[in-house]
Amino acid sequence: MANKPHVTMEIGNDGVAVISMSNPPVNALAIPIISGLREKFDEATRREDVQAIVLTGKHGRFCGGFDISVMQKVHQTGDASILPDVSVDLVVNLIEDCKKPIVAAVEGLALGGGLELAMGCHARVVAQKTQLGLPELSLGIIPGFGGTQRLPRLIGLPKAIEMMLSSKPITAEEGKKLGLVDVIVPSQELLKVARQWALEIKERRKPWMRSLHRTDKLGSLSEAREILKVARQQAKKTAPNLPQHQACLDVIEEGVVHGGYNGVLKEAKVFKELVVSDTAKGLIHVFFAQRATSKVPNVTDVGLKPRQIKKVAVIGGGLMGSGIATALLVSNIYVVLKEINPDYLQKGIKIIEGNLRGLVTRRKLTQDKADKALSMLKGVLDYSDFKDVDMVIEAVIESVPLKQKIFSEIEEVCSSHCILATNTSTIDLNLVGEKTSAQDRIIGAHFFSPAHVMPLLEIVRTQKTSAQAILDLMTVGKSIKKVPVVVGNCTGFAVNRTFFPYAQGAHLLANLGVDVFRIDRVVCNFGLPLGPLQLQDLAGYGVAVAVGKEFATAFGDRTFQSPLVDLLIKSGRNGKNNGKGYYIYEKGSKPKPDHSVLPIIEASQRLTNIMPNGKPISVTDQEILEMIFFPIVNEACRVLEEQVVVRASDLDIASVLGMSFPSYRGGIVFWADTVGPKHIYTSLKKWSRLYGNFYKPSRFLEERALKGIPLSAPVSSSPGSRSRM
């Protein structure tokens, strides 16, 4: 019973029944909790020895919201009838319309359905430092237990809309100012004050507040409609592909115009419709995909304990090295930053100082914490401080001889348990560690730029990397607030390997005569923050050339080699670095298409000479999208077949966090399954006949398309499968 979700009720001598939810760690509203609440409220209402009721949660938390795995089950089974009707029968009828006063005693967090339960009560007594919020829209749904109706009535329309549309929680202190919280108390006094409050409502010494009946904070109908109109326009701009934002505003308006009870009925209906939408399926898949990355067979399931990493050496103070150092410092890990001369070292330290200043400016860090972080940094020019470090992360340029030299040197000076990591983005780890004997400690820590901001950490293992080294790096990754994804060792690893056709597909289309600015526009409309050509501008053309060579060597049978980047460099362009690329970059204004780039593109088209009959091809926006993304899916299929990732959902979360693939589309493999492997296969086959091997379908895609098997279905580890793990 102790670990199973359950609800208890204790009746004190004062006649107050304390109903407690228990479903660690956050008391999520699983089906047994919801039915337990119905049962206990029903009993407390009927019993004559109960004068008033307090609702609370065990384990220092009130309630983290509805159990998301129920919605995942709906997606897997297609059966929406398993969703409980909570808003009307439990929150309205049993709680809000109860003839006995009910007070919520809230501690730790009240999120989603948890806050909605609390708002259905007649008062809210809240412990200090509690978080209150309705984050449902971040999962593609809307609040479904009355939140769209009660929050505006308790705190006013503008703030309620902002809280729901942003999914961001507020503190108890802010809740008190807004009128969501009746009183804030120290957590040790929470139950005592809540019981007292409930009895005082009973004795009419405190107001008996049914929030659904309130209208005093809604303003006039015309004011409310104007606020909703502005919010709709704003949401169209900021969330153009997210239907839940407009749906939420529609439901709020229903309640404002036709009363709270009608609003609750519409909310329940729209909630159920949204649960089965593609957006909710994608976002809920990503939610679980992120959690699944913590489970790595033969690493996290063999009883190993992570070792403490207190001090890390970072070699190289360029943009990547200083970004990695920043991420470690803000998480209280001592950093030794090594450079080859005083000038480079000073430069690296200056970048770290700038990163910390930026975090303070954006309110991600207090000034005190930034000062403390800087005090944990030591700059050095030799290896004498490496003796007692727990891990080294090498972040120098992509040169095999240089990396090999560094690894031979650090193996000599570091302790025998020190983890030796490289931040390479493409180079084979076996090459990096070729000249060392400590191959069980060699591991890839591939951060994405800027390293102190981007949330993904690819942990690359070779066949010799020890489980302990992997577990330790996963633990460090989590402590510096990254999502660690363990991948196998191959050129480009999981993310860069999967997405190498991204820029190449855009170049192929450009050489076929498709307008480059249209290509970027189509990709941005699909949901990526930047199109492939603007991304190339941002990264700099040197990166494009270096990475292009790596992939041409590794995957020459399917790369499209375009002369366009070389022509851009020859014409004196280097993207954002010198303000001239496909776009014009001027300080203080948004990038604008640079039409003077068109003659260079035409020169590239003459050199490649792939336009049918020398004329630009005619394509729809949908075809552009598919010609860019289907080759990426094709490469993802090879990554899955070679078992470079543990599971398909790891590639989904890596594509979302590493390449900003839209999370509401569920990640690259999930999206491909919704499009249909058969359609992807037949399209690629057609284009490969027209435009060559770049589009040739992989064996894995062909097999699954013809057999009707989803791409995300597990790969069988047959003796013939070429596992890289």
Side-chain angles (χ1 to χ4, degrees), residues 437-455:
S437 55
Q439 307 221 340
D440 60 326
R441 293 186 278 135
I442 288 178
I443 195 163
H446 177 214
F447 289 81
F448 288 71
S449 185
H452 62 297
V453 176
M454 289 294 276

Side-chain angles (χ1 to χ4, degrees), residues 51-113:
Q51 301 300 306
I53 302 164
V54 167
L55 173 63
T56 194
K58 297 213 163 143
H59 324 290
R61 306 266 202 285
F62 181 71
C63 173
F66 185 56
D67 181 0
I68 300 166
S69 66
V70 177
M71 289 184 272
Q72 188 187 36
K73 205 169 169 192
V74 171
H75 297 160
Q76 287 161 350
T77 60
D79 178 11
S81 70
I82 56 176
L83 289 169
D85 283 309
V86 177
S87 53
V88 177
D89 67 345
L90 178 63
V91 189
V92 177
N93 296 342
L94 274 176
I95 297 180
E96 193 163 79
D97 293 346
C98 184
K99 300 287 183 282
K100 296 175 182 178
I102 302 173
V103 171
V106 181
E107 184 179 10
L109 47 83
L111 300 175

Side-chain angles (χ1 to χ4, degrees), residues 212-278:
L212 203 57
H213 297 259
R214 283 181 68 173
T215 54
D216 55 304
K217 288 196 177 179
L218 291 180
S220 72
L221 198 51
S222 59
E223 283 169 345
R225 281 199 157 127
E226 188 52 37
I227 291 165
L228 285 157
K229 184 180 152 196
V230 171
R232 275 202 183 89
Q233 288 162 346
Q234 190 62 27
K236 265 198 186 95
K237 272 190 215 151
T238 56
N241 296 330
L242 301 174
Q244 68 272 30
H245 288 64
Q246 300 297 337
C248 185
L249 294 165
D250 289 347
V251 169
I252 293 169
E253 183 159 14
E254 175 77 16
V256 171
V257 177
H258 300 291
Y261 192 72
N262 285 320
V264 166
L265 293 178
K266 178 158 182 170
E267 179 196 82
K269 178 176 172 284
V270 172
F271 171 79
K272 284 200 166 174
E273 286 164 5
L274 285 171
V275 167
V276 293
S277 68
D278 285 345

Side-chain angles (χ1 to χ4, degrees), residues 137-140 241-242 244 278-287 289-290 526-529 652-653 655-657 659-668 670-671:
L137 273 76
S138 66
L139 291 171
N241 296 330
L242 301 174
Q244 68 272 30
D278 285 345
T279 308
K281 285 175 184 170
L283 288 165
I284 287 166
H285 171 73
V286 165
F287 176 88
Q290 184 166 328
F526 177 70
L528 276 87
D652 283 330
I653 195 72
S655 71
V656 167
L657 300 179
M659 283 303 295
S660 302
F661 190 84
S663 54
Y664 54 85
R665 299 195 189 276
I668 191 72
F670 184 90
W671 172 74

Side-chain angles (χ1 to χ4, degrees), residues 293 321 325 397 583:
T293 57
I397 55 166
Y583 297 81

Side-chain angles (χ1 to χ4, degrees), residues 29 54 127 155 162 251 636:
L29 293 169
V54 167
I155 68 171
E162 184 202 310
V251 169

